Amino acid sequence: MAKKARQYHSFDVMVLGAGIAGVSTALHLRRLGLDTALVDRTHPGEEASSGHAGIIQRNGFVPHVLPAGLAQLLGLLFGPSRAVTCHPGSLLRLAPWLSRYRKSSNGADADAYSRTIAPLRSLAVEEHLELAGTTNADRFYRRGGWLQLARTDEAYRKTEVERYYARVFGVAYEELAEDGVSALEPGLKRSNLKGLHWPESWSVSNPGGVVDAFWRGFVQEGGSYLRADARKLQRQRGGWLLESERGTVFAPHAVLALGAWSQEVLNGLGETYPLAVLRGYHMHFRAVSGASLSRPVVDIENGFALAPTDRGIRLTTGIELAVRDAPPNAIAVRHAKKRAEELFPLGKALQETPLMGCRTCLPDSLPVIGASPVSPGLWFNFGHAHDGFTLGPVCGRLLAEAIVGKTPAVDLTGLSPLRFWE
């Protein structure tokens, strides 16, 4: 009996990675008239996108700052706050990256970050709402901003640079003393808190649900979804080839939007970018009877967030720097829960074990958006760090515009892959 020939599928472009960045890119490409395939190994939104606190941040003009001194850096990474930690077995491998990041998070480089990220943040909410309104995802979106909490005067003083840039770029915020915090979120039980309320930001009740709705909209509008291992991407004369569960996929253009798995594909193509992995953990809890939150709240000193979601109160931890496949940090959520319960009463855990998500970050804290400098037809949309959920729709739109030859709504020079090539 003759062996059945494998099917051959040809598209204008294939998008590798079905997190919010990849799904948004595919949806915009489809709306610009390109026959588009979205490719991933798992269901859209199941990796890092699903574990986000759900904040669409209108502010955020300052990168996380690492101290210059070694003793202070080690104190931050391994100290009691847990806002930023480092997996012990990963420290030596990450040392060169940490050195580059420290330089880029201060002085003129930090100012360049603020001015590059500002145009993206100015469009972030608008782009989310545009996609949400046309994909039945708008049911997940809510106004009300988010609340940044400081337990000490020192922690509050650290927000001054962020407040300065908010004033520069015309982003509203409210400075709250103890009574203001209590009025905004009466469910918080700790006193003597100061806060910053960012009312122009939005949030969602189900980040994974948002990505799923965007994906369903993409398919309903004629896009194709294929299961495949993007690490097997191959150059082919005139384009790119990938074996999927449904046969061979070919496209003259390929978009790499694989987040923490991007470097594996890049290595196979002879391209290297200074990517580090940021891991985070999340878990859901039932709120104690009578206690509620109206918006996400973030503890400045400890880095965790508490967010009301469709699945209960979501607790997300601070950032853990680690090799992607290092063993999970079993105590991360336990530590965050202990500090979180000082602010808000958490009830029964609604899942047995925490879930971990991995994101990628470049030393300048900015994503890579644009064409590969060495691989014709290959395009990049990765490295969003903790801003992937916020920036996914706008970065997807900008890259799609670049691929079809339109002038993007935002100048992509500061996000170009060329900044890492000499």
Side-chain angles (χ1 to χ4, degrees):
M1 187 176 190
K3 185 177 180 180
K4 186 178 180 180
R6 284 183 61 79
Q7 290 184 303
Y8 186 89
H9 306 274
S10 181
F11 298 91
D12 295 322
V13 58
M14 67 173 90
V15 178
L16 309 176
I20 192 166
V23 173
S24 298
T25 303
L27 187 50
H28 278 291
L29 286 166
R30 182 67 198 142
R31 290 179 175 181
L32 288 170
L34 295 190
D35 191 10
T36 305
L38 179 65
V39 180
D40 208 326
R41 293 180 296 178
T42 61
H43 188 80
E46 284 192 349
E47 297 290 348
S49 294
S50 66
H52 197 269
I55 304 170
I56 305 163
Q57 212 174 328
R58 178 64 183 89
N59 61 300
F61 303 110
V62 182
H64 288 284
V65 178
L66 295 182
L70 179 60
Q72 293 89 340
L73 176 61
L74 293 175
L76 172 65
L77 297 179
F78 300 105
S81 90
R82 304 299 175 106
V84 182
T85 61
C86 185
H87 191 280
S90 304
L91 183 58
L92 286 178
R93 292 179 62 178
L94 290 171
W97 185 90
L98 286 168
S99 178
R100 292 182 67 173
Y101 182 92
R102 250 193 347 253
K103 177 182 179 298
S104 296
S105 63
N106 290 279
D109 288 340
D111 186 71
Y113 167 86
S114 301
R115 297 183 187 282
T116 302
I117 206 72
L120 301 181
R121 295 206 183 278
S122 71
L123 294 173
V125 170
E126 174 186 333
E127 291 298 323
H128 262 275
L129 296 180
E130 193 280 329
L131 292 186
T134 55
T135 59
N136 198 32
D138 47 0
R139 65 191 186 278
F140 298 118
Y141 285 74
R142 59 198 173 198
R143 297 176 182 269
W146 67 287
L147 181 60
Q148 200 173 14
L149 296 176
R151 302 183 187 217
T152 64
D153 290 340
E154 180 184 2
Y156 191 77
R157 283 194 295 271
K158 290 179 179 179
T159 68
E160 172 51 39
V161 178
E162 177 66 25
R163 284 178 278 147
Y164 164 76
Y165 280 109
R167 296 190 295 271
V168 168
F169 297 118
V171 177
Y173 63 88
E174 299 172 73
E175 299 184 67
L176 303 176
E178 178 184 342
D179 55 347
V181 170
S182 297
L184 197 65
E185 288 293 346
L188 295 173
K189 64 181 185 178
R190 176 165 171 152
S191 59
N192 300 322
L193 292 169
K194 288 186 176 181
L196 284 176
H197 178 216
W198 299 96
E200 295 181 22
S201 297
W202 285 53
S203 64
V204 301
S205 61
N206 188 339
V210 168
V211 181
D212 182 75
F214 287 1
W215 164 67
R216 292 180 187 278
F218 165 73
V219 173
Q220 289 169 4
E221 293 182 24
S224 297
Y225 179 67
L226 302 167
R227 293 285 182 95
D229 186 346
R231 293 173 296 183
K232 297 179 181 179
L233 182 71
Q234 299 177 36
R235 284 191 183 96
Q236 172 97 348
R237 180 172 294 183
W240 300 92
L241 204 67
L242 183 64
E243 294 298 328
S244 78
E245 290 181 353
R246 287 165 47 189
T248 303
V249 182
F250 172 80
H253 297 279
V255 175
L256 189 58
L258 286 166
W261 287 264
S262 298
Q263 191 62 66
E264 292 181 53
V265 177
L266 291 166
N267 289 341
L269 299 173
E271 296 196 45
T272 300
Y273 293 86
L275 289 165
V277 171
L278 309 180
R279 304 198 308 187
Y281 304 83
H282 75 274
M283 199 163 182
H284 295 93
F285 297 87
R286 181 176 291 123
V288 171
S289 178
S292 65
L293 290 173
S294 300
R295 58 187 55 76
V297 299
V298 177
D299 184 303
I300 295 172
E301 286 107 323
N302 297 285
F304 66 79
L306 290 166
T309 74
D310 293 344
R311 296 185 59 193
I313 299 295
R314 173 174 290 187
L315 171 65
T316 66
T317 67
I319 295 167
E320 180 189 35
L321 288 159
V323 176
R324 190 193 67 203
D325 297 324
N329 181 356
I331 66 171
V333 169
R334 190 161 68 243
H335 182 277
K337 180 176 182 287
K338 179 181 178 181
R339 301 313 303 268
E341 287 183 314
E342 297 168 359
L343 302 181
F344 184 82
L346 293 173
K348 179 183 177 181
L350 298 177
Q351 61 201 71
E352 291 186 5
T353 57
L355 298 178
M356 182 179 75
C358 297
R359 300 167 178 87
T360 50
C361 184
L362 292 138
D364 60 6
S365 299
L366 294 166
V368 170
I369 310 292
S372 163
V374 297
S375 301
L378 184 64
W379 301 80
F380 298 148
N381 189 357
F382 60 77
H384 301 85
H386 58 279
D387 281 323
F389 191 81
T390 290
L391 300 180
V394 64
C395 288
R397 172 193 167 186
L398 297 174
L399 183 62
E401 290 172 342
I403 290 172
V404 300
K406 292 182 63 176
T407 300
V410 171
D411 182 7
L412 296 180
T413 302
L415 307 172
S416 169
L418 288 170
R419 71 188 194 268
F420 296 107
W421 292 74
E422 295 181 358

